[in-house]
Amino acid sequence: MRSFWGLMRAYWVSDRWKEAWTLTLVIALLTALSSKAGVWFAEASGELVNSIAFFHDAANTTPLRTLLVNAGILVLLVVLKDAGFTGIRNLVSATLHRKWRGWLDSRFNEALLDTNHTHFHAQHASTGTGAPAPDNIDQRVQESIKDMTGGAIGLAMGVLGVATSLYFVGQKLLETSVEVKGLEFLGSYGSAVLAFLAVATYVPLNTWIAVKLGGLLERLNIRMQQAEGSYRGELTTFLRRSFHVAASQGEGVQKTMHGRLYVDIDGTWTRLNIVNTVYMSFELIYNFVGARIVAYGPGLVPFIHNGLDLKGYITGSELVNALIGQCSWFIHVMPAIATLRANSQRVTELAVAIENVQHPQEFYSQTGRSEFRYASQNPVFGLTIQKLELAHQGEDATPFLSAANLRFRRGEWTFLKGESGCGKTSLIKAINGLWPYGHGTIVFPEGVRSFYAAQEVKLQQVSLKQLVCLPGSEHDHGDAQVASALHKAGLGDFIEHMGDNSREGKSWDQVLSGGQKQKLVVARIVLQQPGLLFLDEATGALDPEGKVAFHQAIKDNCPDVTVISVMHEAVAPRSLTGSEFYHSIVAIADGVATKKPLVATLPVELTTILAQPRPVEDKWLRFSRRLKQK
């Protein structure tokens, strides 16, 4: 689905091809019947005009009856064509639209939400050529797919309508054709040749004009979608961080930002309106000239020379008008074609981006060094990191963090310490395959479940039970297990509501406070029982007592878990009895990560002195030696 035609045919060669082709064939049949009904309509129009023209003719013994019968037949044909064939075709095409869009939507959701974290990589990287990552993925999946599928079906029906009309209308024109004075060498096909020649001259010339205007419309449609998507995305983000904007009194800055984004929409919209107005004027003039001059011109010559009677003239002109109308389909739908091409381009760009990141390291290697190796070993040896270096984008980027050899044994708790921005979170992201650039070897304990816990889980429209059961399904655990985990995490008050998607009209993301969201992290950990746990500032919203309770709950319920934790605190929390939760520290300083045991068993005085600058340490060591000598 990385090209326009690949995207167009994917559904018809998928596992749902029977559904797709059945609906397509029904639409084709109804389109052919509608085109045939157009011929009947032209003939009935000729009969009606003829009955009006000869209403007072002495030979017409039943003028009123003839007029009413012809009018009735014309009305019945309109009902049959528009309410029957065209109306039912619209229902079937709408069903095809719904089915096709649903299939495409499911394919893109499966691709974005795979175990490869494609949604993450697709948003946070650019291609090797420097092209940006696809903007507004939500808009592409929702609006672009919907508009593209609907537009493609409409255009396909138009093409089919042209083909069937050319066949039926052309056949009727040939049947009713007469000789034209001056074109006797054409025989009885003279009027038909004039009609085809008029259509072949008039329609292509104006189609060329339509294509030029359509190119402008396509470019402006793409730009409009980008501007609208950016504005909507900022509004969505703003509403999610509404409290922070209010607390910082940032409404003025936010308003300026919205205004700046809307300027882009307004400017693009203005240009789009101008081109649409020009196109509408062109189309109206084209329709009038085609229906009133070009359609009636070819038959006028034989009519003047008595080669056609009025009925034949009107019937032939209506047939030419129908032929022009069908062949002008491309002109009438050019704005829709421009929109279709714009939508398909945005969808194919997303498909290409998804395909590009299926092998993340190969993808990132186009814009930097990405040579991480992931392996496994006996769980007795725990987690090992060897010769790891992290960098930013660029082949010659200088590593900002290096770790020569780090080992985290089973059941060991390690605290990552360092200044803000030193690379603590980047380190655990790299361990979990979520950092793009750098190199090194990460060896996981084989068969041990890993769990990455951030501050909160921002998922909406899901039940509290589902949030606790992440990353699995709510069907993986019984209500009693989930209730027990909530109770142990200090969220027992919500047990009776754990099956609800919301509470008092608010999603759980809005109901739970910052501290409660972090207790929810504890509930997930207790329920999942991981063997390897990464805590990425998972206690940032808790008070000191809450942080102790957070760690104690994990210590009590996950006895053999290996913990690697990132926190802003300078000193790791201790239990209420004063014992240390953590056994070691990974200190990051000057871009180097080193691991050492946590000094926990030494006297407090010695711990304090060891934490002081070097000269004091030397003084204490000299004092200790003198004591030993004595």
Side-chain angles (χ1 to χ4, degrees):
M1 296 191 293
R2 292 177 293 171
S3 66
F4 175 79
W5 291 113
L7 189 64
M8 291 295 106
R9 66 172 176 262
Y11 177 51
W12 279 262
V13 296
S14 70
D15 56 342
R16 290 167 61 178
W17 65 272
K18 291 182 180 179
E19 170 188 89
W21 281 107
T22 299
L23 292 170
T24 302
L25 291 175
V26 172
I27 292 171
L29 176 62
L30 291 170
T31 300
L33 290 173
S34 180
S35 297
K36 185 63 176 177
V39 175
W40 299 335
F41 180 83
E43 292 177 326
S45 297
E47 291 288 349
L48 178 61
V49 171
N50 191 62
S51 64
I52 294 173
F54 293 95
F55 188 84
H56 298 290
D57 193 293
N60 191 353
T61 57
T62 56
L64 183 60
R65 180 179 172 217
T66 303
L67 178 65
L68 293 176
V69 169
N70 288 331
I73 292 174
L74 189 62
V75 170
L76 286 175
L77 285 172
V78 169
V79 172
L80 177 66
K81 180 178 182 294
D82 294 341
F85 301 146
T86 305
I88 296 173
R89 185 186 67 170
N90 181 69
L91 176 61
V92 178
S93 65
T95 302
L96 178 59
H97 182 196
R98 177 171 57 84
K99 298 286 188 181
W100 185 15
R101 180 201 174 185
W103 181 80
L104 271 177
D105 186 81
S106 65
R107 289 298 304 273
F108 274 95
N109 272 287
E110 289 173 8
L112 285 168
L113 298 170
D114 60 4
T115 55
N116 189 46
H117 309 304
T118 295
H119 63 95
F120 174 81
H121 297 302
Q123 291 184 88
H124 293 84
S126 59
T127 64
T129 59
D135 63 280
N136 306 305
I137 290 178
D138 59 326
Q139 182 197 47
R140 293 171 189 256
V141 172
Q142 188 208 9
E143 295 179 8
S144 296
I145 287 180
K146 178 184 177 182
D147 294 341
M148 181 199 72
T149 50
I153 292 171
L155 293 176
M157 289 193 301
V159 171
L160 188 59
V162 170
T164 54
S165 290
L166 282 172
Y167 175 77
F168 291 121
V169 176
Q171 184 183 52
K172 194 63 181 178
L173 279 172
L174 290 173
E175 288 177 5
T176 58
S177 181
V178 296
E179 186 177 291
V180 177
K181 188 175 181 179
L183 298 175
E184 290 83 0
F185 65 93
L186 294 174
S188 61
Y189 295 112
S191 63
V193 170
L194 280 179
F196 291 136
L197 185 62
V199 174
T201 302
Y202 184 68
V203 175
L205 175 63
N206 287 277
T207 300
W208 179 81
I209 298 172
V211 168
K212 294 299 182 181
L213 292 173
L216 288 174
L217 287 172
E218 178 186 348
R219 291 189 291 273
L220 288 172
N221 268 300
I222 293 174
R223 182 64 198 134
M224 189 68 174
Q225 288 189 26
Q226 292 172 339
E228 290 277 13
S230 298
Y231 186 63
R232 186 184 64 181
E234 179 55 37
L235 281 174
T236 302
T237 304
F238 154 65
L239 292 173
R240 287 177 181 170
R241 61 174 186 237
S242 180
F243 168 77
H244 303 286
V245 174
S248 61
Q249 298 184 7
E251 286 82 0
V253 175
Q254 190 70 42
K255 190 186 302 181
T256 302
M257 190 184 306
H258 289 174
R260 184 172 65 251
L261 290 171
Y262 194 82
V263 165
D264 193 16
I265 293 176
D266 188 65
T268 306
W269 200 356
T270 299
R271 294 190 293 274
L272 189 59
N273 286 341
I274 292 172
V275 178
N276 274 321
T277 301
V278 172
Y279 197 92
M280 182 185 69
S281 301
F282 157 74
E283 188 176 4
L284 289 173
I285 296 171
Y286 171 83
N287 289 340
F288 176 81
V289 174
R292 292 293 176 264
I293 299 176
V294 179
Y296 283 81
L300 188 59
V301 177
F303 177 72
I304 291 173
H305 293 93
N306 294 317
L308 283 174
D309 57 11
L310 181 61
K311 173 186 172 181
Y313 176 50
I314 296 299
T315 301
S317 298
E318 286 296 324
L319 287 170
V320 175
N321 187 29
L323 188 61
I324 290 174
Q326 291 295 338
C327 292
S328 302
W329 158 86
F330 192 75
I331 294 173
H332 298 322
V333 300
M334 182 54 69
I337 292 175
T339 303
L340 169 64
R341 288 177 61 86
N343 283 311
S344 63
Q345 180 175 329
R346 289 179 68 74
V347 175
T348 51
E349 283 175 355
L350 178 58
V352 169
I354 290 173
E355 183 67 24
N356 285 341
V357 299
Q358 290 309 297
H359 302 285
Q361 287 204 49
E362 294 179 11
F363 176 70
Y364 290 121
S365 294
Q366 299 177 60
T367 52
R369 187 178 183 185
S370 184
E371 299 173 0
F372 297 104
R373 189 178 75 87
Y374 296 89
S376 60
Q377 62 186 3
N378 192 300
V380 173
F381 300 108
L383 172 70
T384 303
I385 297 173
Q386 300 171 343
K387 299 179 180 179
L388 181 69
E389 288 189 341
L390 304 184
H392 294 293
Q393 183 174 319
E395 293 290 344
D396 301 324
T398 303
F400 62 85
L401 176 64
S402 62
N405 190 15
L406 299 177
R407 174 171 291 180
F408 305 90
R409 294 179 175 81
R410 184 169 60 182
E412 181 182 7
W413 287 43
T414 304
F415 174 46
L416 270 63
K417 182 178 180 180
E419 296 180 355
S420 179
C422 68
K424 300 186 294 294
T425 295
S426 301
L427 176 58
I428 61 173
K429 283 182 177 180
I431 295 173
N432 287 274
L434 296 175
W435 186 263
Y437 301 107
H439 67 92
T441 301
I442 298 97
V443 186
F444 283 90
E446 189 173 15
V448 173
R449 179 184 299 178
S450 179
F451 192 102
Y452 191 126
Q455 293 188 26
E456 58 181 288
V457 178
K458 294 185 177 180
L459 288 177
Q460 300 183 4
Q461 306 303 320
V462 295
S463 67
L464 182 61
K465 180 182 178 182
Q466 177 62 82
L467 290 174
V468 178
C469 291
L470 286 172
S473 166
E474 60 183 339
H475 305 296
D476 295 341
H477 303 278
D479 289 349
Q481 292 175 293
V482 176
S484 175
L486 286 169
H487 176 74
K488 291 175 181 178
L491 295 174
D493 293 342
F494 296 101
I495 289 175
E496 60 181 311
H497 303 288
M498 66 180 182
D500 300 336
N501 289 350
S502 61
R503 190 173 180 188
E504 298 178 355
K506 297 181 179 179
S507 65
W508 288 106
D509 186 52
Q510 297 172 305
V511 172
L512 300 177
S513 66
Q516 289 171 332
K517 289 175 183 177
Q518 298 190 344
K519 290 180 180 180
L520 181 64
V521 173
V522 176
R524 293 174 59 210
I525 294 170
V526 170
L527 182 67
Q528 299 295 337
Q529 290 289 299
L532 184 58
L533 175 61
F534 299 90
L535 299 176
D536 187 2
E537 300 181 14
T539 60
L542 296 173
D543 57 21
E545 292 77 11
K547 292 175 182 178
V548 171
F550 182 100
H551 286 82
Q552 192 65 56
I554 298 173
K555 178 72 78 174
D556 293 341
N557 294 282
C558 306
D560 295 323
V561 65
T562 301
V563 178
I564 301 174
S565 177
V566 173
M567 288 184 288
H568 283 305
E569 289 78 3
V571 179
R574 296 180 178 180
S575 69
L576 293 176
T577 61
S579 60
E580 296 283 358
F581 289 117
Y582 290 89
H583 309 103
S584 56
I585 291 178
V586 170
I588 301 177
D590 298 325
V592 179
T594 54
K595 185 170 178 283
K596 59 184 179 181
L598 184 66
V599 184
T601 57
L602 298 177
V604 176
E605 295 80 5
L606 181 57
T607 303
T608 302
I609 292 174
L610 287 175
Q612 293 178 358
R614 187 73 184 175
V616 178
E617 291 185 26
D618 294 341
K619 181 178 180 181
W620 171 254
L621 291 174
R622 289 195 298 272
F623 179 69
S624 298
R625 293 193 192 98
R626 286 198 297 270
L627 286 178
K628 290 179 181 179
Q629 290 173 358
K630 292 181 178 180

